[in-house]
Amino acid sequence: ASIFQVGSPVYEEESDIEVAEISGLAMLKTLEVFWKHNPKEKIYLLLLSKSYANYAFGFLENRMLQYQYTDAAKYQIYLERAKLFYTRGKDFGMQLMRRNDSGFEKALQGGLETLRKKLGDYWRTDVDGLFWLTFSWGSFINLNKESVESVGDLALVEAMMSRIVEVYPSFFYGGPLLFYGVYYASRPPMLGGDPVKSKEFFEKAAKVTDGKFLMAYALEAQFLAPQTQDRVLFDEMVGKVQQGSAEALPEQRLAGQLAKQRVQFLKANESHYF
């Protein structure tokens, strides 16, 4: 388990998207084999929750963007796979949270106010597992907006991420801040959307790494620019990703390359967004 924990950053440093996409699946199943042998080991649960979430976000959602307007069948395949991977990420995250805190699931089942009270006990050192559970759950909801039951869980997810923003907003290169950038940009004002707040969160997220984490700009181009019909913003964010260097943040070299691929697909489909 410790070898996986220490060695996993090597994957995030990969510069070749195809190598990462292929080896990522092998890594996931290898982790599951070791977890099956030792299900009490929390390191495996954390790595599985994080890895399923990141694979769905980086590879499967990029493929969705690639095929959304060119091949409906392929788009649907990658959509369903992304939902599956996010579900697995959520499930492993829930198992980890049960091990970390036996009262968490009970608080979750007790409703929003009970959950918020429990979350008040969580601090910076408790964020790791909670973030990846919340990220997977929220991403699944974002891909499953036609489900009333799924969208009904959004308030719980938002409460969890809100606590993370309170105690550790810069976690994973500003991930909690990016969550809210997307959250406020991906829905109309009547359903809680707020372009001004979205912009504020995207700007805060970019500052965490002095603009080196290129995915922050890619997500602003993908979600905020189309919502506000701001082509200037779209071109500005796409340009920042295209001109930025994945080497500027070598520990997230793969995320930088995936951000470049993402804006490539966004640019190709620009006429559908504006």
Side-chain angles (χ1 to χ4, degrees):
S2 61
I3 291 174
F4 274 111
Q5 187 175 36
V6 174
S8 61
V10 172
Y11 180 76
E12 296 173 3
E13 296 169 2
E14 177 58 56
S15 61
D16 189 301
I17 291 178
E18 187 174 358
V19 168
E21 189 169 9
I22 295 171
S23 62
L25 291 175
M27 183 180 71
L28 279 168
K29 299 315 294 183
T30 301
L31 277 170
E32 285 198 42
V33 168
F34 280 87
W35 163 74
K36 190 75 172 181
H37 179 70
N38 187 6
K40 294 183 179 180
E41 177 54 71
K42 293 193 288 187
I43 291 174
Y44 294 137
L45 293 173
L46 175 61
L47 290 177
L48 281 164
S49 181
K50 175 182 177 180
S51 298
Y52 267 113
N54 277 334
Y55 195 93
F57 174 77
F59 300 111
L60 302 181
E61 287 205 30
N62 272 19
R63 294 303 177 197
M64 288 168 57
L65 286 175
Q66 179 182 6
Y67 294 117
Q68 185 172 10
Y69 299 107
T70 59
D71 192 322
K74 284 186 177 179
Y75 171 80
Q76 192 63 34
I77 288 172
Y78 283 109
L79 171 61
E80 294 306 319
R81 287 188 69 203
K83 289 180 182 179
L84 173 63
F85 275 47
Y86 281 133
T87 298
R88 291 178 179 178
K90 174 192 170 185
D91 290 344
F92 282 115
M94 282 296 299
Q95 290 185 56
L96 177 61
M97 290 304 297
R98 289 191 200 107
R99 291 203 166 275
N100 287 339
D101 182 352
S102 59
F104 173 77
E105 192 168 22
K106 183 178 179 181
L108 194 62
Q109 295 169 349
L112 188 57
E113 293 308 314
T114 304
L115 175 63
R116 284 177 175 159
K117 184 177 180 180
K118 164 58 71 175
L119 291 169
D121 297 333
Y122 292 173
W123 298 95
R124 192 181 180 97
T125 54
D126 305 308
V127 162
D128 212 349
L130 183 65
F131 175 81
W132 294 112
L133 163 63
T134 307
F135 180 82
S136 284
W137 199 350
S139 298
F140 175 83
I141 291 171
N142 205 38
L143 297 181
N144 207 39
K145 292 176 181 175
E146 72 280 2
S147 168
V148 175
E149 179 182 359
S150 179
V151 175
D153 292 334
L154 186 58
L156 301 175
V157 171
E158 196 276 331
M160 291 189 284
M161 194 62 81
S162 177
R163 181 57 180 171
I164 297 173
V165 169
E166 288 177 5
V167 299
Y168 201 169
S170 62
F171 178 78
F172 199 73
Y173 312 96
L177 301 171
L178 288 175
F179 176 93
Y180 274 104
V182 173
Y183 175 84
Y184 285 116
S186 60
R187 61 200 72 247
M190 64 182 297
L191 296 178
D194 190 325
V196 175
K197 286 185 178 180
S198 174
K199 182 65 176 175
E200 290 174 355
F201 277 108
F202 277 127
E203 289 179 347
K204 288 178 182 178
K207 288 179 180 178
V208 170
T209 61
D210 294 323
K212 295 177 182 178
F213 191 59
L214 301 180
M215 191 60 76
Y217 299 131
L219 292 174
E220 189 168 349
Q222 180 181 351
F223 290 97
L224 182 58
Q227 180 74 299
T228 56
Q229 287 297 287
D230 190 338
R231 279 179 175 263
V232 174
L233 177 64
F234 180 83
D235 289 337
E236 179 187 357
M237 294 299 110
V238 168
K240 284 187 176 184
V241 177
Q242 292 175 333
Q243 295 163 23
S245 172
E247 297 297 328
L249 198 64
E251 62 270 33
Q252 283 296 306
R253 192 178 288 114
L254 176 57
Q257 296 292 2
L258 287 168
K260 288 180 176 291
Q261 184 187 69
R262 185 170 290 226
V263 298
Q264 174 189 339
F265 296 147
L266 288 172
K267 194 68 178 173
N269 293 319
E270 183 176 4
S271 61
H272 295 281
Y273 304 134
F274 300 97

